[in-house]
Amino acid sequence: MQPESVTQFQPVPAKPSGEPPLVAVPVEATPAPSIIVPLPGLSVPAIPVPAIPLSGPRPRGAKRALATVRRNPLALAGGTILILMALIGLFAPLLFPGDPLAIVAEPFIWPGSDAAHPLGTDSLGRDLLSGIAHGAGVSLRVGLSATALGLVIGVGIGAVAGYFGGWTDAVLSRLIEIFQTLPNFVMLVVLVAIAQPSVTTLSIAIAVVTWPTVARLARAEFRSIREKDFVMAARSLGFGHGRIILSEILPSALPPLIVTASVMVASAILMESALSFMGLGDPNVVSWGSMIGSGREYLRTAWYMCALPGFAIMLTVLALNLIGDALNEILNPRSHEDRR
Amino acid sequence: MNGPIVQPRVPAVPLLAVEDLRIGFGAHQPVSGVGFDVREGETLAIVGESGSGKSLTALSIMGLLPSSARIAPGSSIRFEGREISALSVKDARALRGGSIGMIFQEPMTCLNPVMTIGDQVAEALRQHQPLTRKAAKARAVELLDLVRIPDPHRRVADYPHQLSGGMRQRVMIAIAVACGPRLLIADEPTTALDVTIQAQVLDLIDRLRRELSMAVLLITHDLGVVAQWADRVVVMYAGRKVEQGEPDPLFARPLHPYTQGLLTASPRLDDNFHYSDGPLNEIPGSISSVAGQVGCAFAPRCAHACTACRETIPVLHHLTDGRQVACPVLITEEHRVAAFHR
Amino acid sequence: MSLLSIADLSTHFRLPNGALRALDGVSLDLQAEETLGIVGESGCGKSTLGKTILRLVQPTSGSIRFAGEDVTTVPTRKLAQFRRRAQMVFQDPFASLNPRHTIRKILTDPLVVHGIGDKPERARRVEDIVQRVGLDAGALDRYPHEFSGGQRQRVGIARALILEPDLVICDEPVSALDLSIQAQTLNLLSRMKADLNLSYIFISHDLSVVRYFTDRVLVMYLGRVVESAPTRALWSAPRHPYTRALMDAVPDPARRRHAAPIKGDLPSPQDVPTGCRFHPRCPLATEICTRVEPTLDRLGDGHSAACHHA
Amino acid sequence: MPTALGIVIISFLLLQFAPGDAVDVLAGEAGSATAEGMAEMRARYGLDQPVLTQLWAYLSNLVHGNLGWSPRYNMPVTQLIWDRVPESLVLTGAALVLALIVGIGLGAVMAAREGRLTDRLLSVLSLVFYSVPAFWIGLMLIVLFSIKLGWLPSGGAGTIGSSATGVAALLDKLRYMVLPTISLSLFYIAIYARLARVSMIEAKGQDFVRTARAKGLSERRILFRHVLRNALLPVTTVAGMHVGGMLGGSVVIETIYGWPGLGRLAYEAVMGRDFTVLLGILLFSSLLVIVANALVDVLHSILDPRVGGSDAA
């Protein structure tokens, strides 16, 4: 149920294959052999590709982004939902002061039947709307911090492995592989069971199980970009490793990572909710998952207690994925340049 | 009166006749009014740099243009006298791979990586001929032998990645000529190949042209290839034909400033000109500055350009020896007379 | 003293399915202000040679001396000093410029890395070099994708020259360009050479360009030099059968429809033939060629060839 | 297998950080534990040994296929896991197959209708599938199909006490499988649909498809012989990677539906702080993932001749 790999939307290049090394293939099309070797410099008698001349300079980043958003109302909807959720989460303490876990009314008030509690109350008489509002903050906080941490670890390890290659890569790749083989959610359950569940430990645990995906992607990107001529040029100009990694390669490797990041936030929210649903979340805060978990017993009579917070999760995650799609369209050159 | 009349042998219709071909992508028209014909058994070369529209022209004959491309009304492509655009889907398919074969620039990516080369050749055969699987396989081996792939019985089961670039291009040729086409379109067939392999492949194409009595439409950017292998040459620039003629007179005495520029800009293997002797002749600017411009597309780069060139698109002048040139400036009476007297 | 002196240089790559001897015992000398051409087909190692000289690829054995100093094994730290004096122009003007940097950044960064000048001085140098390569200063704040191939290659040349190197390795600098742009680029390179007293190593598969642009030529086949001669001498009397075949293979308007000069495919550098590497395709091959690898013998007048029958 | 060893060591060390152990839990439940009693229990299970000794003991047991003893269930962990494995495999296997079939089908339809309304609608639908928490959709399916409509059972793995055999038993089993399988597979349906769509569109633009057109092949033949096979390569790669994800996902799904598989066992182990069992499950499911990856590699070398084949002549 939880995303095992958050980058499924990019087509995965065919597995390592024995592409003949002697033929003129663009470096990025050469699937990874298990040991990194510098690709022999082969002279490609490359020659003008029949291309249609572009009329004038291509629209630049911001302009293209705007155009994409205008073409894609779904992305706009996603953005709106997300901003709304963020605002609700941010201002929940002001909008719904008081502990969302406090009992405020009769239990089992159905949504819509009491104006004071528009979304009803749960089995203990806690206000669902207040819970959902406060839960938004928790979900987004966990989602963002887990993603940030996962990105830092993943990009760091992936970049080093991909850029330096050799035994560094061999060791780090093995580490990535180990963490990828451990079934994600089982591992997550173990981690949370060990640590005392809190928003912080949940975020760390989720980062620990998601970084390998980022690392793999970053490694692949760095590997292919470091073989590009402009990186060769930087090396031939005497640039240091740090400058090459940060200033030359990273900007080009970033687009797919940004797309991944938005999807990672989504999957972190899903993971957090699943953990909380199972009672492994932070017991001191209200979370969408834990609301569903506590409503589960009353599924037969008061299914709205599960339905409503679940809907909030779906909406938020959907919004993030819509944004991820739009980012992919804007940032992934393949999706718009090959169309002729 | 009733005695036998000896008719002068004039080919009734050319094998392929392209007239006023215009291909557009939205407002952009990378091919704008190209016409030429290919006669039975000849090699016609279309030469041009990137952006000249030569490859699009070739693709349009095969009906392989990208879906966003539109052929403008009034354009005409006739094969054996039949208008290609008027053909039914089925007839058009019969034409592709049946009467017209095509090979492309990149032998690396043009073959399906997960099918054996034998299957890929056999597939072309079975599409157009009622052959059993076994017969098609046997014929595929013969075809591989025809294109000089050593040990075809063994190679037939190979996958494309097991072959070198030159061998893959031979397989592409085998596929293209599988059904004995009347016309072979070769779109930059040797650009991705090494020069010694290029010679072999061009040699092979020309030998097959004679053996299978087909015509060849050769698309290339390489003037040397054109000079060596073509019977007639069409020079394209920015979507238009600027000059046409037989290679010897064309290269000996180019009439269009662009053709002249190309010939003088390239160092020639046979002449002793060295960088220490002086710089190469340059064509200033680049082709990409063409968009949205009225008049002759070459005018901004042309040393001879006059006001008229920048205002109207020059018409194609037909000279009597079959040469054509789309430049009013350099056709003086002298050229005309020279042309008449040839 | 030669500017660059290479002795018995080899670069082998480890591939999953065996070793690839991209470069196998190559020696050469380059004088100051000379242009040395390196010509050959795919897999001959010419590009690897260029990259190995700049230590972009580690040599397996052999030595590289630059201006009298051995740079084969200098530690990466000190490599920067050498790289300031030896630069490279790449084949693909689209891949060799970072798409996310402006031309100004592309040209300024090398100065920053080598600590050359202060801010105004760097700006002055950048503007100067841009003008020299024939672009206007307005180009500086634009991105590579806004330029045509020819213009990008000018930027690539400017980047190679901004550190005022002594040696520039041009790796197929015009093969990705249209014919009409090739002449512009070659003229620019030749002007820069005269202006800045450069030495070039000019790697190309295009014999006609090599003939025009170089003073001396090395012909390579499968990782080895098979012939080396002053350019004019090579063309007037090629000694190695491969050189002859290569010259004959170039389409020539003077010879219509002749048979291909050599049969057979280029062997893979992972599976190099025994004896003389060219013997399976060689019209002159005899028994000795299958067994004994010929050495590069001096034939006088700076002409050498590695052939038992030369 | 260094990966497997790495997994063993990492997960074992992780568990050393766990506060409290099975003895604590047992003692807590019994409510009458003395310090000596607990120490004695720890000694019995080897929990008082130094960490490295415990790891060594664990490793050497592992070599003999022994994953330790569960104090809570009072039976060997291996036995415990083996009892649950078939149910888990049936569920995840069914979900994977369902996801592949429906996903690739949807993807093919979307690719064929690229840019049109069908494509857009299905794209949004797949994105919704991708965004729905599996446990929630599981609950909602129960509400609809079990509680409101009464068509399908809301939990369990078969009618208790049923004496049906043969086809009847199979049908009974299938009835119980429908909801959990759907809940588990929706997310993967979305992934495969989107991936299949992208890779089919990409495969369609390849040069060899143009070659196929130049041969005069029909669009149908091009689709099946040339596009589909190449487009499925990335899908198989990804599907192999999902075995671990599915096993993880089954923790929640099995808990909701009371499906007696590994996932539910994991949940019970966490709740009971039975780390030996938890560690066993983690190791065992990692092993399954390794096996699945190996199978995918084999499949891949069948589908793609470039993998592991010989190189250019």
Side-chain angles (χ1 to χ4, degrees), chain C residues 17 266-268 270, chain D residues 309-313:
Chain C
N17 48 356
L266 274 165
S268 150
Q270 273 181 280
Chain D
S310 60
D311 279 343

Side-chain angles (χ1 to χ4, degrees), chain C:
Chain C
M1 184 183 67
S2 23
L3 178 68
L4 180 75
S5 171
I6 287 173
D8 207 21
L9 192 68
S10 293
T11 304
H12 299 177
F13 297 105
R14 274 181 302 125
L15 292 183
N17 48 356
L20 190 154
R21 287 146 69 185
L23 213 56
D24 215 3
V26 168
S27 304
L28 65 87
D29 265 303
L30 177 74
Q31 306 304 319
E33 295 180 46
E34 185 186 28
T35 300
L36 175 67
I38 302 199
V39 73
E41 296 177 284
S42 303
C44 75
K46 56 187 191 298
S47 223
T48 305
L49 176 59
K51 294 199 169 95
T52 308
I53 292 172
L54 288 188
R55 292 270 315 271
L56 293 171
V57 165
Q58 280 307 319
T60 311
S61 63
S63 79
I64 309 164
R65 298 180 74 83
F66 183 79
E69 201 178 332
D70 194 332
V71 292
T72 330
T73 50
V74 291
T76 341
R77 270 179 303 107
K78 291 183 72 182
L79 210 54
Q81 290 160 24
F82 160 59
R83 283 182 173 159
R84 193 179 151 179
R85 298 184 61 188
Q87 281 299 315
M88 188 147 180
V89 174
F90 293 84
Q91 168 175 351
D92 184 348
F94 289 84
S96 60
L97 301 179
N98 193 331
R100 293 175 194 277
H101 291 173
T102 60
I103 307 302
R104 186 185 300 280
K105 184 167 168 60
I106 288 172
L107 296 179
T108 312
D109 275 359
L111 297 173
V112 174
V113 165
H114 289 276
I116 296 170
D118 52 3
K119 228 174 165 186
E121 164 71 6
R122 285 177 206 146
R124 197 192 56 71
R125 283 196 186 215
V126 166
E127 272 159 37
D128 175 60
I129 196 78
V130 159
Q131 258 169 18
R132 274 169 181 263
V133 299
L135 295 169
D136 57 67
L140 281 175
D141 293 306
R142 291 159 71 187
Y143 286 86
H145 71 81
E146 299 176 55
F147 296 91
S148 68
Q151 290 169 318
R152 283 163 176 244
Q153 198 58 303
R154 286 171 193 265
V155 176
I157 292 170
R159 174 180 57 191
L161 298 183
I162 192 134
L163 293 175
E164 298 176 353
D166 302 305
L167 167 66
V168 177
I169 296 178
C170 304
D171 187 1
E172 303 264 8
V174 297
S175 349
L177 303 177
D178 267 328
L179 198 54
S180 66
I181 308 299
Q182 282 190 13
Q184 297 175 5
T185 310
L186 287 174
N187 287 344
L188 172 66
L189 283 171
S190 139
R191 207 164 60 235
M192 289 296 121
K193 175 175 150 64
D195 284 4
L196 304 171
N197 305 325
L198 299 170
S199 305
Y200 284 140
I201 289 184
F202 190 89
I203 299 167
S204 178
H205 69 277
D206 186 334
L207 273 85
S208 48
V209 169
V210 168
R211 180 177 195 186
Y212 168 73
F213 199 70
T214 62
D215 302 313
R216 211 150 49 83
V217 182
L218 247 55
V219 182
M220 292 185 66
Y221 188 76
L222 290 180
R224 283 186 81 90
V225 176
V226 295
E227 185 160 6
S228 154
T231 305
R232 286 183 203 241
L234 187 74
W235 257 270
S236 57
R239 303 294 284 272
H240 196 283
Y242 176 66
T243 314
R244 261 174 259 154
L246 206 55
M247 288 176 176
D248 284 349
V250 177
D252 181 353
R255 296 184 314 251
R256 281 187 55 81
R257 298 205 172 123
H258 64 106
I262 30 174
K263 309 250 178 299
D265 229 344
L266 274 165
S268 150
Q270 273 181 280
D271 186 20
V272 173
T274 55
C276 171
R277 289 159 198 239
F278 187 57
H279 86 261
R281 305 174 78 197
C282 184
L284 307 179
T286 54
E287 191 271 334
I288 186 174
C289 305
T290 62
R291 285 186 294 111
V292 183
E293 176 141 30
T295 51
L296 191 66
D297 294 328
R298 288 175 200 282
L299 306 169
D301 291 336
H303 206 135
S304 329
C307 177
H308 295 300
H309 305 289

Side-chain angles (χ1 to χ4, degrees), chain B residues 30 52 66 68-69 71 101 126 133-134 136 160 203-204 206 225 237 245-246 262 271 282 308-309 326 338:
Chain B
S52 63
S68 52
I71 297 186
R126 295 191 69 197
R133 200 173 288 270
K134 211 173 150 194
D203 198 19
L204 173 68
D206 200 58
V225 167
Y237 184 81
E246 288 178 17
L262 276 189
D271 86 45
E282 284 184 22
C309 300

Side-chain angles (χ1 to χ4, degrees), chain A residues 17-26 29 43-56 338-340, chain B residues 25 28 30 49-51 55-56 66-68 105-106 108 161 163-165 168 187-188 191-194 221 288 291:
Chain A
S17 75
E19 263 293 350
L22 283 185
V23 286
V25 281
S43 58
V44 187
I47 303 292
V49 207
I52 303 149
L54 292 156
S55 40
D338 280 358
R339 302 265 178 287
R340 298 208 298 199
Chain B
F25 291 83
H28 178 57
E49 298 179 287
S50 51
S55 282
L56 284 174
S67 55
S68 52
Q105 175 175 341
E106 271 303 331
M108 316 309 304
H161 74 275
L163 303 179
S164 68
R168 287 187 218 193
D187 184 1
E188 302 265 12
T191 304
L193 303 177
D194 277 307
H221 69 279
S288 54

Side-chain angles (χ1 to χ4, degrees), chain B residues 14 22 26 136 152 164 174 195 202 209 292 330:
Chain B
R22 280 172 289 136
S164 68
V195 63
L202 289 171
R209 177 185 65 85
L330 293 188

